[in-house]
Amino acid sequence: MSTETQPNPDALANEIAAQSNLLNDLRKQQADPAVVEEAKKKLGDLKRSLALLQNANAAAGGSKEGKKKERMLLKTPKVHRSVLCGTRDYGPAEMYCREHIERIVKDCFTTVGASQLDTPVFERKEILAGKYGEDQKLIFDLMDQGGEQLALRYDHTVPLARYLAMSGAITTQAKLWQVGKVYRRDNPVMSKGRMREFSQADIDIAGTWDVMIPDAEIISVVCTILTRLEVGEFIIKMNHRKILDAIFEVCGVPPEKIRPISSAVDKLDKMAWADVKKEMTDEKGLDPAAADRIGEYVKHKGGPELLDMLKADETLMANANAKVGVEEMGILFTYLKAYNVLDKISFDLSLARGLDYYTGIIYEAIVEASAPPGFKSANAFASSSTTPSVSNAAPPPSQQEPKKKKPAKKAASADDEEEIDESQVGVGSIAAGGRYDNLVGLFTAAAAGEGKKAASLPCVGVSIGLDRIFALVWPKWVERGMRSKETMAYVMAAGDGLLAERIELVRELREAGIKTDFLLKAKPKLPAQFAAGEKDEVPFAIILGGDELKEGLVTVKEQRWEFVDGKKAKVESNDKGTKVKRSELIDWLKSTPTYKDWSSGKLIA
């Protein structure tokens, strides 16, 4: 009788993780292609083995009630059985950084007079359907227990429009903001903040206002946020849907192909023109001559001077949409100059934004890391000109590799997903948005019924990708030795535990707004208390002693950190601390530079 040992799912999962790390290391080291391919093949074999084992266990599970219960596998959920699942946990230090990012974003929102909104994380599917163009396939579908078709929200914009429509679209003028998680069935690249579950911060202005003033206000808010977050050099790429649609019309694009062709053009930030043209002609059936005419337009980018070039194009300006779009862009540039953000703007005719609901100005914020590494021909940080070169630079071979050959589909194809080389993927845009004047009206009209008049409400807004920003900010946060916790003071006792006295002082400090902690033991030793405070990087150690308390004094020892061999380390000091009157402690702490600079998150000066 055979005594072959049944493979263990946990062991296989660990092997998959180890093999995946090995494969990524080989890619980063630019190892021999044969070695990389062998590692890739082994990873695929391991995944298939795990899938077969899981299926076999599931089939046998119902008939083996007496079998020992399997150990729970503690991992974040996987939408597919791919190693890159698109969800993740954040530890305390990372969350402190994320909260710092959110605080700045929310402060900027409220500074301009916006009010907060919150909408459900899932919607009725028909609410989301038909709003996202080719990205419709990325929506996560759900079904409730009653069989109602639901879906996880794809963004905050459509739920906002649904909310405004439910109120009868009677909001005449409003600024609204929302921060929360959204969901997309996209290919995740975790290290770049491209995930299936991610956080977005939106601010929108609804209502009828004078032309382009709210649009300029939104762009100004984005510039303020990105500057305060210190993401590095950034550019706001802008275009106008009316100008883009006019270009397509004069170039001979049939009306029914305008949105699909627009989606193809939108890929010019990560694909060479030759590849985009191929998609337009081979996949979407556009006449190659029309594609060539489009190419002559969409390679242009610059500033206000680009408007002069467009105005000189008699064929384009004969189009009513183009005339309106150019006029509105001219007004917008005037306001952006007043906001003092013109140096952050790139008028880019290739920007299309694939979502169907945009009707006017569109924009997205990018940084140097937005484009795939080495693909500078698509990056707005490359030289801008109203007469750019028409050369079609191709991306590095590693970026083209996935397009070479599509493997034949197999059963259980979820296990055969192509591994993504994260080193060859850019962060993408970190904020994007535009004007959507008809979306609210779309909902009110659908609710009113055919033939009935329905109210509409023009809107303009922006979505800020907090996870992508975190991917940019977190490495800098670590390099600069920023804090990992809010605690400012740690109350300790020398000698006897002085528990009641410690609790009383902790309460007073907390009531005064000073974040304070202490060791939850009756008679802790002083070294253990110092160790606990140092672990949390608390700058003020407040030491209580029986004799000092009788004199109305406490000892405050300020603790500092420095970099040693690239790591944070506490500065050792013989300083015994400063005697401070117990009654004056709160004012003393609040007068220190550490307290005054606390909101910056800095730990190491």
Side-chain angles (χ1 to χ4, degrees):
M1 186 170 72
S2 173
T3 59
E4 184 177 350
T5 304
Q6 178 78 0
N8 185 299
D10 295 351
L12 275 175
N14 290 334
E15 281 191 65
I16 288 172
Q19 188 67 21
S20 179
N21 289 334
L22 173 62
L23 179 59
N24 287 331
D25 288 342
L26 289 172
R27 281 170 166 162
K28 290 175 182 177
Q29 296 165 8
Q30 297 184 333
D32 184 272
V35 176
V36 174
E37 191 60 34
E38 180 62 29
K40 191 174 177 181
K41 181 178 181 299
K42 183 176 179 180
L43 180 59
D45 292 340
L46 287 169
K47 286 184 178 182
R48 281 186 285 275
S49 297
L50 179 60
L52 290 171
L53 182 59
Q54 289 173 332
N55 291 337
N57 287 346
S63 61
K64 296 184 179 180
E65 295 179 0
K67 187 177 178 181
K68 182 180 177 182
K69 187 177 180 180
E70 288 213 15
R71 183 166 60 89
M72 180 182 290
L73 191 61
L74 293 177
K75 288 190 173 182
T76 51
K78 297 185 177 181
V79 179
H80 293 305
R81 287 187 288 266
S82 166
V83 173
L84 298 173
C85 61
T87 63
R88 59 158 294 183
D89 298 317
Y90 291 96
E94 292 171 311
M95 281 307 301
Y96 185 75
C97 177
R98 287 175 65 85
E99 286 295 314
H100 173 78
I101 292 170
E102 280 199 25
R103 276 195 298 270
I104 288 177
V105 171
K106 292 176 180 178
D107 181 64
C108 290
F109 287 169
T110 56
T111 296
V112 299
S115 302
Q116 186 175 11
L117 181 72
D118 187 40
T119 60
V121 75
F122 57 86
E123 297 274 353
R124 294 174 63 239
K125 187 176 178 181
E126 65 177 316
I127 294 292
L128 304 183
K131 313 299 188 305
Y132 302 109
E134 294 185 355
D135 286 346
Q136 176 81 17
K137 62 183 181 293
L138 302 182
I139 294 175
F140 274 109
D141 292 337
L142 301 173
M143 183 180 291
D144 74 1
Q145 291 179 338
E148 187 177 20
Q149 294 292 323
L150 307 173
L152 293 175
R153 64 186 178 196
Y154 178 96
D155 61 11
H156 293 309
T157 306
V158 171
L160 168 65
R162 187 264 309 150
Y163 165 83
L164 293 170
M166 285 181 66
S167 67
I170 58 174
T171 303
T172 55
Q173 294 178 340
K175 295 179 182 178
L176 298 167
W177 65 269
Q178 182 173 194
V179 174
K181 291 191 174 183
V182 297
Y183 300 84
R184 298 180 189 177
R185 295 175 61 93
D186 210 347
N187 289 326
V189 185
M190 306 295 284
S191 65
K192 306 298 173 65
R194 300 168 70 109
M195 305 165 72
R196 286 176 171 145
E197 177 191 60
F198 54 98
S199 296
Q200 280 192 337
D202 282 35
I203 181 169
D204 297 80
I205 301 178
T208 303
W209 307 73
D210 288 345
V211 176
M212 304 312 286
I213 298 177
D215 311 65
E217 173 89 333
I218 292 289
I219 294 170
S220 170
V221 172
V222 176
C223 290
T224 300
I225 289 171
L226 298 184
T227 299
R228 286 187 56 184
L229 288 174
E230 300 180 289
V231 298
E233 186 182 356
F234 65 89
I235 289 292
I236 308 290
K237 294 168 60 176
M238 290 193 329
N239 199 2
H240 200 297
R241 265 288 174 86
K242 283 183 166 58
I243 294 176
L244 192 63
D245 287 353
I247 288 171
F248 293 149
E249 289 169 9
V250 301
C251 289
V253 179
E256 70 275 7
K257 291 186 183 293
I258 284 181
R259 288 285 77 84
I261 296 304
S262 179
S263 295
V265 169
D266 198 44
K267 298 174 183 176
L268 278 170
D269 61 344
K270 51 185 174 291
M271 290 170 56
W273 166 249
D275 293 326
V276 171
K277 179 183 175 182
K278 184 176 181 181
E279 179 178 328
M280 290 194 293
T281 56
D282 294 1
E283 298 179 23
K284 298 180 176 177
L286 184 67
D287 181 356
D292 287 336
R293 288 193 290 271
I294 291 171
E296 293 304 312
Y297 281 105
V298 300
K299 292 170 188 172
H300 292 291
K301 60 188 174 190
E305 70 280 356
L306 185 53
L307 290 173
D308 295 330
M309 188 198 79
L310 296 177
K311 289 176 182 177
D313 187 328
E314 294 182 1
T315 303
L316 182 65
M317 294 310 294
N319 183 285
N321 274 333
K323 191 172 182 179
V324 172
V326 168
E327 182 180 344
E328 290 187 352
M329 286 295 288
I331 296 170
L332 178 62
F333 276 121
T334 300
Y335 298 151
L336 294 178
K337 182 179 180 182
Y339 276 111
N340 196 29
V341 296
L342 268 185
D343 61 320
K344 299 296 184 184
I345 304 301
S346 173
F347 183 11
D348 191 329
L349 293 181
S350 72
L351 180 64
R353 303 290 300 145
L355 305 183
D356 284 353
Y357 50 67
Y358 289 125
T359 58
I361 183 75
I362 49 177
Y363 35 79
E364 65 180 29
I366 63 169
V367 292
E368 192 72 50
S370 291
F375 191 55
K376 300 303 180 187
S377 60
N379 194 309
F381 287 93
S383 59
S384 298
S385 172
T386 54
T387 55
S389 168
V390 293
S391 62
N392 296 322
S398 57
Q399 293 171 37
Q400 293 181 334
E401 186 177 344
K403 300 178 86 59
K404 284 184 180 178
K405 186 178 180 181
K406 292 184 178 179
K409 289 186 177 180
K410 304 176 184 177
S413 60
D415 293 309
D416 299 326
E417 283 187 354
E418 184 79 10
E419 286 297 309
I420 297 176
D421 184 356
E422 297 196 13
S423 67
Q424 296 301 321
V425 179
V427 172
S429 62
I430 57 176
R435 174 162 286 281
Y436 52 102
D437 286 346
N438 301 329
L439 187 57
V440 176
L442 188 68
F443 287 128
T444 55
E450 189 173 352
K452 293 186 178 180
K453 188 176 181 180
S456 187
L457 192 67
C459 300
V460 63
V462 68
S463 298
I464 299 168
L466 299 182
D467 290 274
R468 295 186 181 186
I469 287 177
F470 173 79
L472 297 170
V473 172
W474 174 246
K476 300 177 183 178
W477 188 273
V478 174
E479 288 172 7
R480 292 163 57 189
M482 304 295 277
R483 288 196 313 274
S484 59
K485 204 169 183 178
E486 285 269 23
T487 314
M488 183 181 292
Y490 207 96
V491 176
M492 310 178 185
D496 185 58
L498 298 174
L499 180 58
E501 291 81 354
R502 281 188 289 144
I503 291 175
E504 183 180 352
L505 180 55
V506 166
R507 175 183 58 78
E508 290 178 16
L509 292 171
R510 289 172 177 172
E511 288 176 353
I514 297 172
K515 295 176 172 63
T516 309
D517 202 359
F518 70 110
L519 202 59
L520 305 181
K521 289 190 175 183
K523 293 187 177 182
K525 294 182 179 179
L526 191 58
Q529 296 175 83
F530 267 107
E534 290 171 15
K535 179 184 176 184
D536 288 346
E537 300 171 345
V538 182
F540 295 110
I542 302 173
I543 307 160
L544 307 185
D547 294 338
E548 284 87 349
L549 285 176
K550 291 175 183 178
E551 298 174 20
L553 300 173
V554 296
T555 301
V556 181
K557 185 173 181 180
E558 186 164 3
Q559 317 212 83
R560 302 181 186 278
W561 278 258
E562 63 183 349
F563 280 117
V564 177
D565 297 328
K567 295 182 179 180
K568 285 188 287 187
K570 182 175 171 291
V571 177
E572 297 300 330
S573 171
N574 294 323
D575 178 28
K576 300 300 182 182
T578 303
K579 301 290 184 182
V580 179
K581 288 183 179 180
R582 170 105 167 50
S583 60
E584 298 175 359
L585 176 61
I586 292 172
D587 290 338
W588 187 92
L589 290 171
K590 289 186 175 182
S591 68
T592 62
T594 299
Y595 182 90
K596 293 176 180 177
D597 198 34
W598 193 247
S599 62
S600 70
K602 291 180 181 177
L603 176 70
I604 299 175

